[in-house]
Each structure stands twice: as C-alpha cells, then as structure tokens.
Amino acid sequence: VFTGYNGTPGSLRFTVPEITGTPARSVTGELKLNTPLQDAATTAEQNNDLQTALAHYKKIEELITSSGFTEDHDLMTIEKKVLTQIKDKSAQLALESRVHWLQENFKNIFNDAYPSSRSSQLSHPKVTFIKEEQGKQIFNMTCVERSQGTSFRLEVKYQYSPANGTWSIYYDQ
C-alpha cells in the first residue's frame, strides 16, 4: 500500500498505521486519505471551487486505478469514497450550470410564458432548484416586470430533462 503523494504521477501514498505509524483513521474510525492532493481537493471545496475539487478527485481516482493495488481492501474503501465525491461534484456542477443558463436566458423564458411581458422591462432574475421528479429537474424562477411605472413579480416553473437535454415549462400535476 502507498504511504503518501509527492505530486508526480504514480506517487500516491496512503498512510496505514501498521506500516508508517501515522494514523489513517479518524477519531470515528473512518478511513481517511492523507495526501496533499486530498488536502488540495478539500481546500478547493471549502473555497467553493467545485471544478478544481473535481479535477483533484479525478486525479486521485486515476492514481488509485493505476496503482496496481486495486484489490487492497483499504484502497477500495477510499476509492468508493472518491468515486462518490466525483459523482456528487459532477452533479453539483451540472446543477450550477443549469441555474446559470436559466439566469442568462430568463427574458426569453418569461416572454414565452407571459407574452404580455414582451413590451415590459424584465430584471432581477432569481432561480431556485426545487426538486427532481420523474427524472426531470424542476426550477422555480422569478423576476420583476416593470411596465408603465408599475412593478410586478412574475414566476414560472421550468424543467430540465437530462435524458434528452431539453427545457420546458413545468406545470404542477
């Protein structure tokens, strides 16, 4: 089993108490990866830099896969955790990307949902992810419509289908 990481490919090391004397388990007994690469991923997460965190986790997975110790029980446990992080971070980034897309395209969306708003000024878009339902992601969108000196709050629910990459208005059922 490896015992650390020095930044070069193939040099991933894992601390194992029986070999290095460095604790590899937390106070709760959870197996931990103690490497600068893991530390960098954690720091990126704390700084809300999901893209960098994801890149670090993918590098850890690559190093585990190419280590030659893929049958080691402790390494398999760590790999499962790393794969979970990759999946979670990828999903978070995809969701953030969709929220950003909705914010960038809110005028077209509201003009389609409220044809009378086409002659109005639309501003202050807010997008909130509500839920996932039947394989579709549901978002709530609001904005302010200004028309003839009066302000109105508009709201629409929009859905995204990851299966076919399409957007559409969501109607509560």
Side-chain angles (χ1 to χ4, degrees), residues 42-169:
T42 302
T43 300
E45 285 181 77
Q46 291 169 343
N47 293 328
N48 291 320
D49 185 355
L50 295 179
Q51 193 72 41
T52 300
L54 178 61
H56 288 310
Y57 284 119
K58 285 182 176 181
K59 183 65 177 174
I60 292 168
E61 168 58 14
E62 176 188 322
L63 292 168
I64 289 172
T65 303
S66 64
S67 72
F69 294 98
T70 55
E71 299 301 317
D72 179 85
H73 182 304
D74 287 342
L75 196 55
M76 288 171 57
T77 301
I78 291 170
E79 183 178 30
K80 283 181 188 176
K81 291 178 184 180
V82 168
L83 290 172
T84 298
Q85 289 293 331
I86 290 170
K87 180 182 173 191
D88 291 349
K89 299 301 173 256
S90 295
Q92 282 179 275
L93 283 168
L95 191 62
E96 285 180 8
S97 165
R98 292 180 187 119
V99 166
H100 179 74
W101 186 88
L102 289 169
Q103 289 170 330
E104 292 293 314
N105 293 282
F106 84 98
K107 288 181 182 178
N108 291 334
I109 293 166
F110 279 99
N111 286 334
D112 288 345
Y114 297 95
S116 64
S117 71
R118 289 189 178 131
S119 62
S120 303
Q121 180 185 9
L122 301 177
S123 62
H124 298 52
K126 290 192 176 33
V127 178
T128 306
F129 173 71
I130 300 174
K131 63 182 174 180
E132 191 154 334
E133 181 180 273
Q134 298 175 352
K136 295 184 179 177
Q137 295 176 329
I138 314 299
F139 299 84
N140 189 59
M141 299 178 61
T142 61
C143 77
V144 174
E145 174 190 20
R146 294 184 204 273
S147 177
Q148 300 175 349
T150 308
S151 294
F152 303 96
R153 181 179 169 270
L154 301 180
E155 184 172 351
V156 67
K157 290 185 180 172
Y158 223 60
Q159 66 184 352
Y160 178 75
S161 172
N164 57 21
T166 59
W167 290 96
S168 61
I169 292 178

